[in-house]
Amino acid sequence: MKKFFFLIIGFLLTISQTNAQEHVLKSGKDSLLISTDEIPQNVLDKMESYQFGKEKKIYSTSPYGIISFDDDDRRVLKNADEIQVFFNEDSIKVNSINNIFFKNPGPDELIKVRLKVYKNNEELTFNEHKGETKVSFLAKAPRNALVTDDRIVLGILTVVLALIFFTASLKSKAWKSFYTIIPALFLCYMIPASLTSFNIIDPESTNLYYMASRYLLPGSLILLILSADIKSLIGLGSKSLIMFFTGTIGIILGGVFAVWIFTFISPETVGGSGNEATWKGLATIAGSWIGGGANQTAMLETYKYKETLFGGMILVDIVVANIWMAVILFGIGKKAKIDKWLKADSSSIDRLVVKVEDFQKKVERKTTLTDFMVITGLVFGGVALAHFAGKYLSGFFLENYGKGNTFSSQFFWMVVISTVYGLILSFTRAKNYEGAGASKIGSVFLYILVATIGMKVDITMIFDKPLLIFVGLIWMAFHALLLIVVAKIIKAPFFFLAVGSQANVGGAASAPIVANAFHPALTTVGVLMAVVGYFIGTFGAIMAAELMRMVAPM
């Protein structure tokens, strides 16, 4: 009897014409069965079950799945007289729901189900969630890392940072030679990446990056901007902006060049049509690499790239961007040699650094507990303000203009408000807390962020989609080459090249890290450039997308 029932379900899930057509949804090759009947529990136990209202990534070989409802969900559903079911790109209206079955769509695919529930034409809301379930099906079983506990992972990362800084400070000739070849900052990034790649820690099971990017990043921006000398920053000249916009042009043209090259090497890699056209997916990467996450979302909304393929583009974004960041961090250790080769005039940067160091000596004092407590209040009060105001500002733009714009991003407003808050403090007596070690505390926050970014990098991912990643590598190589050529022509210091690139590719999470690696006094430059990137990201990405569309094979 059970086998017969499974055959019936399988039949309903795979046909397009049935007597109960109003209870069957099909979207492309995927199918969904909405059942109003009670199904025996022993039958349900044989299926893979997914909790409604949750988002989950899973590797499953089970041919069918079921979306289960808890008691609160069922009370809402039973109180409704109309339910609208959205399944991927399709939708249907039904009077009641008991169970939702679906066929496993296969690796790298997803099932997205959203319910809108109405009673007397008024929409009802679910108590614990937004009424949406998304199940992403992985191409391979996830690895079981040795450590998945946030508290333990944080301990490991801080010990790694401590050991790097301790050994880098030793006077031993061997350690000095080692860090001459391999910069300390590069290790702060690559050792966590290696821990992930060797399956010691699992970035997917920890919220440490979210914690660092939402709490420590704005805190570090405030502390590092606290002693900013705006007049001297303006005095850095036009080379910083030239290199930033060169980086933007490099991203726009680099994408076009990479697609064009692959029309000869492997046209199917950059081909496709409709919402599966590869150039539409690459447009989301352009949004990320010129602006940030909000701009990437804007491109996804604008070009309607197939969501089930979007994960592959995120993979390219993460792998290629982090490889390039690793190259830049390595280059910082060789900045003197690079500047000499570029014949760069870094006198304006040197003057700013000297001026900040002189100010630090002037206000330096014996730090007290009161100093630390005031600094803590100033910083996390500012972080709270950034999140509070950012939530309302992003909500306003989201409600009035939709999520496909930069201003609907809470992260964008968090960075902008933290930056403005820090700049305001730099004109007050709070600036003197630099003498109590404000920038050093900010640097601690920033290096923890570096470690959590490195932790997100699984080096082995480069083998998952090698051809698509190779497209990204050619793209980034064009960006880098253009920056080098322009820097050589205008004799721009490596600092402007590195920060100008990361303000595009890495945004507010990476540009301050790179700028701080040169000197804490220069962090503000990275932050301000990244903010400019957010503003132009969507426009630059649209330009890149349209140019890629022109050269992409049909």
Side-chain angles (χ1 to χ4, degrees), residues 143-368:
R143 299 176 300 180
N144 293 318
L146 181 65
V147 180
T148 57
D149 189 303
D150 275 4
R151 295 160 295 186
I152 301 173
V153 174
L154 179 60
I156 291 172
L157 295 181
T158 53
V159 168
V160 166
L161 292 174
L163 287 173
I164 292 170
F165 275 83
F166 176 73
T167 52
S169 68
L170 295 176
K171 304 299 181 183
S172 165
K173 191 174 181 180
W175 283 114
K176 281 185 173 293
S177 300
F178 176 79
Y179 283 107
T180 300
I181 299 170
I182 303 176
L185 180 58
F186 179 76
L187 290 180
C188 294
Y189 180 83
M190 288 306 298
I191 290 179
S194 301
L195 293 175
T196 295
S197 303
F198 287 108
N199 212 27
I200 296 171
I201 59 178
D202 179 13
E204 293 293 327
S205 64
T206 173
N207 288 316
L208 287 180
Y209 173 74
Y210 182 86
M211 177 275 295
S213 62
R214 266 57 176 186
Y215 298 96
L216 301 186
L217 172 60
S220 68
L221 296 182
I222 293 167
L223 287 168
L224 293 165
I225 294 172
L226 191 69
S227 58
D229 188 320
I230 303 300
K231 187 177 178 180
S232 297
L233 284 173
I234 296 171
L236 288 176
S238 60
K239 289 182 181 179
S240 59
L241 286 176
I242 292 173
M243 294 309 297
F244 170 78
F245 285 110
T246 297
T248 303
I249 294 168
I251 296 297
I252 294 171
L253 298 182
V256 181
F257 179 74
V259 171
W260 177 74
I261 286 290
F262 259 78
T263 58
F264 302 104
I265 300 172
S266 176
E268 63 275 9
T269 301
V270 292
S273 59
N275 66 347
E276 296 185 8
T278 301
W279 67 267
K280 292 186 176 182
L282 296 176
T284 67
I285 298 178
S288 175
W289 284 356
I290 298 174
N295 308 93
Q296 186 173 45
T297 302
M299 291 300 96
L300 188 62
E301 291 289 314
T302 301
Y303 290 103
K304 307 297 180 186
Y305 184 60
K306 190 174 182 181
E307 194 171 352
T308 55
L309 300 175
F310 184 49
M313 295 301 166
I314 293 176
L315 178 68
V316 176
D317 180 2
I318 293 171
V319 171
V320 176
N322 282 288
I323 287 174
W324 175 234
M325 185 174 176
V327 171
I328 285 178
L329 296 181
F330 188 82
I332 290 173
K334 316 291 181 186
K335 60 184 178 183
K337 291 182 179 179
I338 296 173
D339 281 345
K340 185 177 180 181
W341 179 78
L342 292 171
K343 297 180 180 178
D345 177 14
S346 59
S347 57
S348 61
I349 297 173
D350 295 336
R351 282 195 298 271
L352 174 59
V353 170
V354 169
K355 196 168 184 179
V356 170
E357 287 178 344
D358 288 342
F359 174 75
Q360 287 173 337
K361 290 175 183 176
K362 180 182 175 182
V363 297
E364 190 174 3
R365 63 179 186 268
K366 185 178 180 181
T367 309
T368 65

Side-chain angles (χ1 to χ4, degrees), residues 13 23-25 30-34 85 87 100-102 113:
L13 285 166
H23 291 143
V24 176
L25 274 176
D30 303 328
S31 49
L32 189 82
L33 171 67
I34 303 164
V85 184
F87 168 55
I100 296 180
F101 301 96
F102 60 85
V113 178

